[in-house]
Amino acid sequence: MTSNALLQRQPLFFNATTAVRQIARAAAFVALGVGSAAHAAGIRLEDDRGTTLELQAPARRIVSLMPSLTETVCALDACDRLVGVDRHANWPVSVKRLPQVGGMDDANVERIVALKPDLVLVRPRSRVAEPLERLGIKVLALDAKTHADMRRVMETVARATGKPGAGEAVWRTLDARLNAARARVPLGWQGRRVYFEVHGGMAAASESSFIGETLARLGLANAVPGTLGPFPKMSPEFVVRADPDVLMVSALGEVSSMASRPGWSAMSAIQRGRVCSFASARFDLMMRPGPRLDEAADAIVNCLASLGNPPR
C-alpha cells in the first residue's frame, strides 16, 4: 500500500474514533438525564388519610405535632431536622428547646409557616392539615394504633427523611427488647389478668390497643376485651366483675381513691396491694406509640417483679 493510500485511509479511522467518543458522550448525557429525572421524582409516600405525598428531596425542616412522631424522628437520628414541636413534646430533652406551635388540636398555623418547614407531621383529622396544604406546605398524617402501625410509621418517617430501612432497623431493635422483657416476667405473673387504666380512670387500654399488645407480648392477659375498642370508657362495675389480678394506673395518689369507688374495696388487687402506679413521666411514655416501647415494657415487668408472685 502506498503512503498516499495510507494517508487517505487515516481520516476514516480518526472519524470512526471520534464518532465512538461522541456516542459515549451522548450515552453519558442520556444516563445523566435519566438520573436527574429519577432524582426529580423524589420520595413518594402514602399517609394514613390515603393521601399520596411527593417530596423532591428528604425533609430537612420538620415540624412535628405529635410527641410520638417527634420521638420517632429523633430515634432515626434526625433530631437536628426538627424546627418545631407541639407543647407536649418532652423527649429527648433537646426538643424542649425548640419552638412550640401549640397542641395537636390547636396548633398555630402562622407559627408553623414562620418556621418554613418542608414537612409537617400530624395525626389524621388534624385541623391544621388543610390550611397548611392550601399554603403549599407538605403534610404527612400518620397514626399508630397497633404494633404493626408503629412499625409502618417508623419506616414511613425514615423514608421521608431519606433513610429507607432505618425505621425497620429501629423496629427490629424494639422487637428484640420486647422479647428480652418477656423473659424477665416472673413465672407467677404469666397469663395473669391486667386492668390498665387511662384518662384518669375514665377508660382502659383493651386487648386491641397498642398497650394491650404490649401486655400480650409480655405474656399477660387483659381484663378488657378488644371488642370494646382500643380505649373504651369503663364503668366501675365492669372492673369489679372482672376482678383483675393487678391494676395499672398513672399515679400513686389514685390508689387510695380507687378503693372508694363502688365495690372496688372488695377487689383482690386492692386488698392485696397489687397495684402498679407509674409516675407521670413514665406513664406518659407508656401512652405513646413510639420508639420507647421497650421502656414501657420494662416498667411493667419491673413493677410486677416488685409485687412478688401472686397467690395461686
Side-chain angles (χ1 to χ4, degrees):
M1 179 180 294
T2 64
S3 58
N4 286 339
L6 180 61
L7 288 173
Q8 288 174 356
R9 294 191 60 175
Q10 282 179 342
L12 292 176
F13 173 78
F14 292 142
N15 288 343
T17 302
T18 301
V20 169
R21 288 173 178 170
Q22 288 175 340
I23 291 171
R25 282 197 296 268
F29 179 79
V30 170
L32 180 61
V34 171
S36 299
H39 178 73
I43 302 167
R44 187 181 180 90
L45 306 166
E46 184 174 339
D47 71 9
D48 289 349
R49 299 171 297 175
T51 300
T52 298
L53 179 71
E54 290 202 9
L55 302 175
Q56 295 305 309
R60 296 290 177 183
R61 295 183 61 82
I62 302 172
V63 170
S64 172
L65 298 181
M66 283 188 69
S68 59
L69 292 176
T70 298
E71 295 185 11
T72 296
V73 171
C74 291
L76 293 168
D77 197 26
C79 222
D80 59 331
R81 304 191 196 187
L82 289 168
V83 295
V85 294
D86 73 284
R87 69 168 65 92
H88 301 292
N90 55 13
W91 187 91
V93 176
S94 61
V95 304
K96 293 182 178 181
R97 297 192 294 268
L98 293 171
Q100 294 184 357
V101 295
M104 291 183 285
D105 295 318
D106 62 352
N108 189 302
V109 173
E110 291 183 0
R111 286 185 189 175
I112 295 173
V113 173
L115 295 172
K116 300 179 180 179
D118 51 23
L119 183 64
V120 178
L121 301 176
V122 302
R123 67 178 182 182
R125 298 179 299 281
S126 170
R127 296 177 182 177
V128 298
E130 187 176 341
L132 288 174
E133 288 174 325
R134 284 201 303 265
L135 293 170
I137 295 176
K138 302 288 187 179
V139 174
L140 186 62
L142 299 169
D143 194 14
K145 297 178 180 178
T146 66
H147 284 193
D149 287 339
M150 293 168 64
R151 180 177 185 175
R152 173 182 53 78
V153 166
M154 287 176 185
E155 182 57 21
T156 300
V157 175
R159 291 175 57 210
T161 56
K163 300 184 176 187
E168 277 291 313
V170 171
W171 176 258
R172 285 195 297 271
T173 298
L174 283 178
D175 194 53
R177 289 176 178 172
L178 286 175
N179 288 336
R182 175 166 183 154
R184 295 195 300 107
V185 175
L187 289 177
W189 282 105
Q190 291 287 343
R192 293 304 183 109
R193 297 165 70 246
V194 177
Y195 181 76
F196 195 104
E197 187 173 271
V198 300
H199 305 319
M202 296 298 294
S206 80
E207 292 172 323
S208 62
S209 68
F210 70 90
I211 295 173
E213 285 191 67
T214 301
L215 294 174
R217 284 290 303 269
L218 295 175
L220 302 168
N222 197 316
V224 183
T227 53
L228 297 179
F231 296 99
K233 292 183 178 180
M234 306 302 300
S235 68
E237 294 79 11
F238 175 93
V239 189
V240 172
R241 290 194 304 270
D243 195 23
D245 296 297
V246 63
L247 302 172
M248 296 188 177
V249 297
S250 63
L252 184 61
E254 295 181 8
V255 177
S256 58
S257 64
M258 285 192 299
S260 65
R261 297 175 188 174
W264 279 43
S265 60
M267 289 186 358
S268 58
I270 295 290
Q271 292 180 346
R272 294 169 178 169
R274 295 201 298 268
V275 179
C276 288
S277 56
F278 304 100
S280 57
R282 181 63 62 183
F283 194 79
D284 206 26
L285 82 85
M286 299 174 83
M287 292 296 295
R288 294 180 182 178
R292 293 192 290 165
L293 183 65
D294 58 323
E295 292 184 42
D298 284 339
I300 292 171
V301 175
N302 291 340
C303 180
L304 293 177
S306 72
L307 295 178
N309 284 322
R312 291 292 179 183

